[in-house]
Amino acid sequence: MVRALYPGSFDPVTNGHIDLVQRGLALFETVTVAVAANIGKQALLPIEDRLQLLRTVLPRTERVQVTTFRGLVVDFCKQNGYGVILRGLRTIADFEYEYQMALTNRHMRPDVETVFVMPSVQYSYVSSSLIKDVVRNGGDVSAFLPAPVEKVLRARLQASP
Ligand code: ADP
């Protein structure tokens, strides 16, 4: 009965993230999506909006939970009983950073394992940051985002481009 934590910034959640949660559900008892509250990156959407959108678009089952955290992912895992950190691997560009992070986390907490999952090929090049750029410039991102996410993102970008 392994409970997985899927941490990230989710600014905003995309179909790629949703795909990963669905794959995680095939592997783990529960998948908890955890929005990092202290990331270095400047987020576009406030954390409350990111949490709300995740709750709106993720599968409605008690096996999927949404939360937020501060501090080290591995500490959050230990405090809350998560045995696995779930992360996505899209292209080779993800690999170097993810590799360093996984091994650093293992150094700190050897009993928390990082598991990488690849998304469906149609989402393998989708990133939240690229989507924000496309929306800012008036492009169509409907293939990559659920409609409620696109709506909130467009409203936010109109308010502060
Ligand atoms: P972070 O700032 O931690 O990278 P993101 O929200 O960008 O937060 O990503 C969280 C996790 O989801 C990362 O492991 C990332 O590789 C993965 N991910 C992001 N987009 C996709 C996608 N389209 N397909 C699969 N995994 C993805």
Side-chain angles (χ1 to χ4, degrees):
M1 285 251 298
V2 178
R3 298 168 65 229
L5 187 79
Y6 180 24
S9 30
F10 304 99
D11 186 37
V13 55
T14 68
N15 288 345
H17 294 125
I18 298 169
D19 179 283
L20 220 73
V21 169
Q22 279 159 343
R23 290 174 193 282
L25 282 175
L27 297 172
F28 307 111
E29 190 60 28
T30 61
V31 175
T32 300
V33 179
V35 182
N38 58 343
I39 47 163
K41 296 188 207 172
Q42 185 63 44
L44 174 73
L45 296 176
I47 199 151
E48 296 73 28
D49 289 9
R50 287 181 272 153
L51 291 166
Q52 183 59 49
L53 286 173
L54 282 162
R55 292 194 178 104
T56 304
V57 301
L58 288 177
R60 276 170 213 277
T61 153
E62 60 194 19
R63 293 178 59 219
V64 175
Q65 283 141 24
V66 176
T67 189
T68 180
F69 74 103
R70 283 181 184 280
L72 293 175
V73 172
V74 281
D75 289 344
F76 190 75
C77 286
K78 286 307 284 182
Q79 284 152 11
N80 297 282
Y82 299 106
V84 159
I85 298 170
L86 176 66
R87 294 283 290 178
L89 269 188
R90 287 163 291 189
T91 59
I92 198 74
D94 278 342
F95 181 78
E96 198 169 337
Y97 174 66
E98 294 290 342
Y99 177 84
Q100 287 180 329
M101 197 159 58
L103 292 187
T104 305
N105 283 336
R106 179 182 282 165
H107 174 81
M108 293 186 283
R109 296 278 186 183
D111 51 343
V112 177
E113 201 65 63
T114 303
V115 172
F116 295 102
V117 171
M118 280 179 271
S120 307
V121 74
Q122 74 263 36
Y123 304 132
S124 62
Y125 57 95
V126 176
S127 76
S128 301
S129 38
L130 198 59
I131 280 179
K132 283 181 278 193
D133 279 347
V134 175
V135 172
R136 252 185 214 109
N137 291 289
D140 176 10
V141 289
S142 54
F144 307 130
L145 287 178
V149 179
E150 188 177 348
K151 197 170 156 210
V152 168
L153 189 60
R154 284 199 189 282
R156 182 77 194 177
L157 284 169
Q158 260 163 18
S160 56

